[in-house]
Amino acid sequence: MAHETQTADIDDPDRIWPTGLTIRESEELHKHLIDGARVFFLISVVAHLLVYLFSPWGG
Amino acid sequence: MIQNLKRRLVRRLASLGPRYMPFADIATPDLPLRRLLRLSLFQVSVGMTLVLLVGTLNRVMIVELDVPATIVGVMIALPLLFAPFRALIGHKSDTHRCELGWRRVPFIWKGMLLQFGGFALMPFALLVLAGKGQSGDEPLWIGHSAAAIAFLMVGAGAHIIQTAGLALATDLTPAKSHPRVVGLMYVVLLLGMIASALIFGAALAEFSAGRLVQVLQTSALVCTALTGIAIWKQEPRRPPRGAVAPTADPSFRESWARFCSGGQAVRRLVIVGLGTMAFGMAEVLLEPFGGQVLQWTVSETTSLTAFLALGGLLGFAYASHAMGQGDEDAFRIAQQGALIGLPAFALVILSAPFGLSGAFLVGNFLIGFGAAIFGHGTLTATMSRAPKGQAGLAVGAWGAVQATAAGLAMALGGIIRDVVNASVGPNEVLGGLSREASGYVTVYGIEIVLLLITIVATIPLLRGLSRRPPAEGGAEGESLAFHPGDGMIDSAAGSR
C-alpha cells in the first residue's frame, strides 16, 4: 500500500528529489533556517559586546 | 530498459531523501514506546532549564557572584511573565498553517532557538551583571538588561517547547494512552531535573568565570540536541496542497470563548490553580523548616528533597496505573491527590511543636506523592477532554495556570512566612509555637485550607461524571484521523 502511494509521489511533478519537497515547501524550510541564522547573528553580536565589557580585547 | 533503469534510480534516490529529513515516516494509531521515550526528551531539556534557573544560577548569582538577592529574585521571576502566554502559544499552534503541514514543530523549533540564544548570552550577561572582570565601571543597566533578556529568552523558550511538545504528545496518542503518556512526561521531567542538579552541582563545585561559561554553553548545546532528537520525525505532515481553501481560523478570543463554554473548563482551570498553589507554597519552605525549626543539618535537609522526589515518582506510577486501567476518572485521581495533601501538611504542622522528625519525613513524602497525583490527574484530564482542534489551547491553558500558580505560590509562601515571623516578637509564642515555627505553620495551614477548597471544587465535576457521555475526549487520535487525499504524504514515504 505504502509502496503504491510512494510511486504516485515520485511521479508528482511538483516534487524535487532527493528531499521530496515541493519548491514552496523547500522555500518555507529555508526561511526557517535563514531566520534562525539572523537571530543567532544578533545574539552573537550582543554576546561579543558583553564579552568585550567583561574582558576587552585588542587593548 | 533505460526507462526502467532511470525509474529504479529515481526510486532509490527518493527513498534516500526522507531518511535524512525530519518528517514523520508513518502515522501509527499509537506511538511505539521507543518513539514516545524519544519524544519525552524535550522534558529533560525543560527540566535542565528549570534546575538552572531556579536552583543552580540562583545560588551562583547570590553566593559566587555577589549579586543582590532582590535582583536575583526579579531575574528568576522573569520567565514567569511568559507563563500566561502559554495558552496563546497553544492556540497559535492549533491553528498554524504552513506549506510543510506542521503545527507543533515550528513552535518547538522557535522555542529551541530562543532557549539556545538565551543560554548563549547568559554567562556573559551574569558576569557583567555582577561587575566581574573589567565590567565594574560600566553602567548598571547594561548588566541588568542583558541578564533580563537572557532569562526571558530561556524561560520563554522552555515554556514554548513544553506547551507545543505536550500538545504534540496529545496529538500523537489516543485518549486511552494519555494517563501513561502524562506519567512518562512527568517522570522524565523529574529524572531530568534530578540528573541535571547533580551534574551542575559537580561541574560548578570549583567555581570560576570560565567554568560558568562552559557549563551554560554546554547546557545550551545539550538542550538543543535533546529537543532536536525529541521532535525528529515525530509530527506527521498535513500539507495544504490540493486541499480546499480553509475557512478563516478563529481568533484567540473566539477559541478561548469556545474552550470556556464546554465541560466546565474554567472550573477545571481554577482547580488546577488552587491545587498547584496549595502544594507549591511549601516547596521552598520545607528545607528551611527542617533546618530552622527541627534543627536539622544541611545533609539531613537535603534528604528531604530525595523523599519528596521519591513520593513524586511513586505518585506518578500510581496515577498512571489507576487511570491506565480506565476505571478511574482523571479528576477523581486529582481529588485523591488533594486528599492525600491534607494529612501530609497536618503531619508537617504536628512535627513543629513536638519535634517529630519522623512525622516531618512522612509528611514530605506524602506531599510529593499527593502533588504528583494531583498534577498527573489534572494534566491527563486536560489532554483527554480537550475539545476537538484545541489540544494546544487546552494544554497551554493548563500550563499557563499551573506555572503562574506555582510561581505565585513560591513567592507568597516566603512573603507570608516573613510577615508572620516579623509580627511575632522575639520571645513571643504563637499557639504554643516558637517564633521561627509560626510563619511556617501559618503557610502550611493556608495550604490545608486551599486543598479543602480544591476538593470541594472538584465535587461538581465528579457528580457530572455519571451524566457525561463516555467519549468526551475530543482530542482522541485527532491528528491521526488521516483520510485518503488529505495530503498526508508521510505515510507514503514507506516505513523506516
Side-chain angles (χ1 to χ4, degrees):
Chain A
M1 178 67 184
H3 180 76
E4 282 172 19
T5 329
Q6 191 180 41
T7 310
D9 265 340
I10 290 172
D11 291 337
D12 188 339
D14 288 340
R15 296 193 178 285
I16 294 164
W17 301 96
T19 61
L21 297 176
T22 64
I23 296 278
R24 288 165 69 102
E25 288 169 356
S26 316
E27 282 175 350
E28 189 175 271
L29 202 61
H30 183 67
K31 185 178 171 295
H32 280 299
L33 292 174
I34 293 296
D35 286 348
R38 284 180 181 143
V39 171
F40 280 139
F41 175 74
L42 272 177
I43 287 167
S44 70
V45 168
V46 178
H48 276 80
L49 186 73
L50 292 169
V51 173
Y52 185 80
L53 295 178
F54 173 68
S55 170
W57 59 84
Chain B
M1 174 72 179
I2 292 176
Q3 275 297 323
N4 249 345
L5 196 68
K6 189 178 165 191
R7 194 161 182 79
R8 277 173 64 185
L9 194 69
V10 168
R11 194 187 302 283
R12 174 84 186 133
L13 201 60
S15 68
L16 273 180
R19 190 179 300 172
Y20 300 103
M21 296 293 282
F23 310 122
D25 293 336
I26 42 170
T28 55
D30 200 359
L31 276 188
L33 183 64
R34 212 176 59 168
R35 243 177 87 186
L36 193 59
L37 278 173
R38 188 159 62 79
L39 178 62
S40 69
L41 285 179
F42 77 83
Q43 287 284 67
V44 179
S45 128
V46 172
M48 193 185 279
T49 307
L50 276 175
V51 166
L52 262 178
L53 295 189
V54 182
T56 312
L57 292 180
N58 184 0
R59 183 222 140 91
V60 163
M61 281 195 281
I62 290 178
V63 179
E64 274 86 8
L65 296 177
D66 298 322
V67 178
T70 319
I71 292 177
V72 174
V74 170
M75 293 296 166
I76 289 170
L78 273 178
L80 273 180
L81 291 179
F82 195 83
F85 292 103
R86 286 176 71 133
L88 184 64
I89 295 292
H91 163 72
K92 289 277 179 199
S93 73
D94 281 338
T95 54
H96 184 69
R97 289 182 203 284
C98 63
E99 281 298 323
L100 288 164
W102 271 333
R103 288 194 303 173
R104 316 296 184 191
V105 168
F107 288 88
I108 300 177
W109 169 259
K110 282 174 190 159
M112 196 170 81
L113 291 186
L114 271 176
Q115 195 187 29
F116 184 92
F119 275 138
L121 286 182
M122 195 170 276
F124 312 115
L126 293 186
L127 291 171
V128 173
L129 176 72
K132 298 291 175 188
Q134 296 185 42
S135 63
D137 302 331
E138 304 298 337
L140 281 175
W141 66 266
I142 296 179
H144 287 172
S145 47
I149 289 170
F151 270 91
L152 259 181
M153 284 174 76
V154 172
H159 280 304
I160 294 173
I161 290 173
Q162 198 175 38
T163 303
L166 287 174
L168 179 58
T170 312
D171 289 346
L172 294 176
T173 49
K176 68 177 168 55
S177 303
H178 287 164
R180 289 197 181 91
V181 172
V182 172
L184 178 71
M185 294 293 162
Y186 260 120
V187 167
V188 171
L189 179 73
L190 197 60
L191 292 179
M193 288 174 75
I194 294 169
S196 311
L198 293 174
I199 293 168
F200 290 140
L204 287 167
E206 285 177 32
F207 182 83
S208 68
R211 181 53 67 90
L212 180 68
V213 176
Q214 283 175 332
V215 167
L216 284 174
Q217 291 191 338
T218 309
S219 306
L221 273 177
V222 172
C223 282
T224 305
L226 286 174
T227 312
I229 293 168
I231 59 170
W232 188 262
K233 288 182 187 282
Q234 294 281 13
E235 185 175 17
R237 292 173 54 207
R238 289 189 295 183
R241 294 182 334 112
V244 180
T247 52
D249 287 322
S251 65
F252 178 67
R253 190 189 292 266
E254 288 164 349
S255 281
W256 183 253
R258 194 186 137 213
F259 174 69
C260 292
S261 66
Q264 306 211 51
V266 176
R267 177 182 286 272
R268 297 204 311 257
L269 289 177
V270 169
I271 290 169
V272 170
L274 285 173
T276 306
M277 281 192 82
F279 281 111
M281 282 167 89
E283 206 160 287
V284 289
L285 297 184
L286 287 171
E287 286 202 31
F289 178 83
Q292 282 190 315
V293 179
L294 299 177
Q295 315 297 327
W296 284 16
T297 62
V298 175
S299 62
E300 282 173 326
T301 55
T302 310
S303 68
L304 288 174
T305 313
F307 260 80
L308 207 66
L310 180 69
L313 284 175
L314 290 177
F316 295 135
Y318 165 74
S320 294
H321 176 75
M323 285 183 283
Q325 304 294 312
D327 50 0
E328 282 286 12
D329 179 77
F331 261 102
R332 199 179 295 283
I333 291 289
Q335 193 193 48
Q336 285 176 13
L339 280 168
I340 289 169
L342 295 176
F345 285 112
L347 280 172
V348 173
I349 290 174
L350 280 177
S351 69
F354 306 113
L356 296 171
S357 298
F360 184 48
L361 269 182
V362 175
N364 250 278
F365 173 81
L366 287 177
I367 290 171
F369 190 69
I373 294 174
F374 179 80
H376 194 317
T378 53
L379 181 54
T380 306
T382 305
M383 285 168 84
S384 301
R385 297 181 190 193
K388 196 166 180 58
Q390 291 194 312
L393 176 63
V395 172
W398 176 89
V401 172
Q402 196 265 351
T404 310
L408 275 178
M410 273 197 264
L412 276 178
I415 292 169
I416 293 170
R417 177 199 60 180
D418 291 347
V419 167
V420 172
N421 279 357
S423 64
V424 179
N427 299 317
E428 279 182 59
V429 174
L430 191 74
L433 296 166
S434 65
R435 179 172 180 259
E436 286 80 21
S438 49
Y440 291 104
V441 170
T442 308
V443 174
Y444 299 142
I446 292 172
E447 292 187 289
I448 288 180
V449 174
L450 283 174
L451 281 174
L452 282 170
I453 299 172
T454 308
I455 292 164
V456 171
T458 53
I459 291 172
L461 287 178
L462 299 179
R463 270 199 203 127
L465 271 181
S466 52
R467 292 193 292 273
R468 185 166 58 85
E472 195 183 306
E476 179 168 358
E478 177 197 323
S479 67
L480 299 172
F482 304 118
H483 304 295
D486 73 350
M488 172 65 212
I489 64 161
D490 304 288
S491 55
S495 58
R496 296 186 230 197

